[in-house]
Amino acid sequence: METTLPLQIFLQPYLLKIHHFKLGMDYISSVTAVPNGNIFLLVIWGNGDWDHQRVAPTPKVKKGGIYILGQHFEINNFSTKANLMDLLAFELNPIVFHRLFSISPKSIVNQLICMQEIFPHESAAIGSTAAGEKCVTKQLSAMEDFLWARIQNKTENNHHVLSQAISIIEQHHGNICIKKLAEMLQICTRSLERRFLEILGIPPKSYSKIIQFNYAFRLLAQNNKKIGDIALEAGYYDQPHFVRQFRKASGICPTHFCSTHQLTGNKGKKTNSNTAFLLHRTTFI
């Protein structure tokens, strides 16, 4: 079960979207975060354990908490078996993330980090409020207060060139030469790469690959096209190239992934899935 919660105007454009998922026997068993170029704050609570899995081996995470999911190249899966759990996913504008948190975006690439390790006092205060609340509205309010307090304490920075670069990459679904992108922005490639690394934690080429993969995954999930056609439309050299990239992100081939997660596959059949997907992309200027 997924619900999209309303955005408070004062949190825009820092916060792009808020997702609420209920996991358990009577709802869905897992939530899959597909790479999309944004950074997530995850608030998880309930009376049981939950698992975090990706291609690279990761330890089991028990109980609830507040976590930061940085820029990721791999599909992340959050699941529970019989226990009822709630997950609030705050999708953050990656450009302003470094302003809100005193950590390097590069240090959290492909990482799921417990906020308690970075901000023990603030995390404890939020966690204490969340622990006593079963209402999603109260959980949401506590996180909004936390984000707004950090926004107010930070100085505004202008990253117009970086915003333009991201918008152009979005428009091309990740298929654009970085040299051409730099020329369009009237900036040298080295300066563009430096800005991406400083603010997003990854170079523009890597960011473009994330957007390209996200576009291909959305085609895979929503259309009745063959794998080869999706690969070409998404800008991959050929089907084997797309399959290799998909294996790197998920550990399995796209056909197997479709079958396992009951997505629309290349035969055009679709069944009810017990997995929710964090696929959302928001173009911002």
Side-chain angles (χ1 to χ4, degrees):
M1 176 182 174
E2 177 185 4
T3 305
T4 301
L5 301 177
L7 283 175
Q8 298 291 339
I9 295 178
F10 61 85
L11 288 175
Q12 300 178 26
Y14 304 91
L15 185 59
L16 302 176
K17 199 168 185 178
I18 308 171
H19 313 260
H20 173 228
F21 303 92
K22 292 194 76 69
L23 289 81
M25 292 182 62
D26 297 328
Y27 299 97
I28 57 175
S29 61
S30 63
V31 174
T32 296
V34 179
N36 73 354
N38 292 332
I39 295 176
F40 290 88
L41 269 183
L42 304 174
V43 184
I44 304 173
W45 75 96
N47 296 318
D49 300 344
W50 58 279
D51 288 310
H52 167 232
Q53 297 178 338
R54 63 177 194 238
V55 178
T58 53
K60 183 175 181 179
V61 183
K62 292 180 177 290
K63 308 305 179 184
I66 304 172
Y67 298 85
I68 298 174
L69 178 61
Q71 292 283 1
H72 48 290
F73 303 102
E74 300 175 354
I75 290 176
N76 285 254
N77 190 68
F78 305 89
S79 62
T80 184
K81 295 181 179 178
N83 302 305
L84 177 62
M85 304 289 290
D86 281 87
L87 187 154
L88 274 176
F90 294 80
E91 194 165 358
L92 300 178
N93 181 331
I95 290 182
V96 300
F97 174 81
H98 77 293
R99 285 186 52 218
L100 303 183
F101 299 91
S102 303
I103 55 175
S104 166
K106 189 175 181 179
S107 67
I108 61 171
V109 172
N110 267 337
Q111 299 292 322
L112 179 72
I113 300 177
C114 181
M115 215 171 81
Q116 177 70 29
E117 300 174 7
I118 308 172
F119 307 107
H121 300 298
E122 293 169 305
S123 182
I126 298 173
S128 176
T129 302
E133 298 291 350
K134 302 299 182 182
C135 175
V136 175
T137 304
K138 297 291 181 63
Q139 296 274 357
L140 178 62
S141 178
M143 285 304 298
E144 286 177 338
D145 290 344
F146 166 73
L147 290 172
W148 180 237
R150 298 199 70 81
I151 291 170
Q152 288 182 307
N153 290 330
K154 301 298 179 179
T155 303
E156 185 68 34
N157 290 322
N158 184 10
H159 297 295
H160 182 64
V161 171
L162 195 58
S163 295
Q164 277 189 311
I166 290 177
S167 294
I168 293 172
I169 291 172
E170 269 280 314
Q171 293 166 14
H172 288 80
H173 303 303
N175 293 297
I176 184 169
C177 172
I178 302 306
K179 183 178 179 180
K180 180 181 178 182
L181 175 62
E183 290 175 351
M184 293 173 67
L185 298 168
Q186 298 182 337
I187 187 174
C188 69
T189 55
R190 181 171 297 181
S191 179
L192 181 62
E193 290 180 353
R194 186 165 55 248
R195 295 191 188 196
F196 265 84
L197 286 171
E198 178 187 356
I199 307 304
L200 269 66
I202 57 177
K205 186 175 181 179
S206 297
Y207 184 84
S208 296
K209 287 183 177 181
I210 290 176
I211 301 306
Q212 181 186 31
F213 179 80
N214 185 268
Y215 179 63
F217 192 97
R218 284 186 278 127
L219 290 176
L220 186 69
Q222 298 170 6
N223 294 329
N224 298 329
K225 297 181 179 181
K226 296 180 179 179
I227 302 297
D229 294 336
I230 290 174
L232 293 177
E233 184 173 343
Y236 291 94
Y237 299 127
D238 50 27
Q239 181 172 331
H241 181 211
F242 172 54
V243 172
R244 285 196 300 272
Q245 295 302 312
F246 199 96
R247 282 185 181 276
K248 286 183 180 179
S250 68
I252 57 179
C253 70
T255 302
H256 187 191
F257 189 94
C258 286
S259 175
T260 303
H261 292 80
Q262 300 178 316
L263 288 176
T264 300
N266 58 349
K267 294 184 179 180
K269 295 181 180 180
K270 186 174 183 180
T271 55
N272 293 327
S273 173
N274 203 27
T275 301
F277 292 91
L278 279 173
L279 272 170
H280 182 256
R281 281 289 310 153
T282 297
T283 300
F284 41 85
I285 299 176

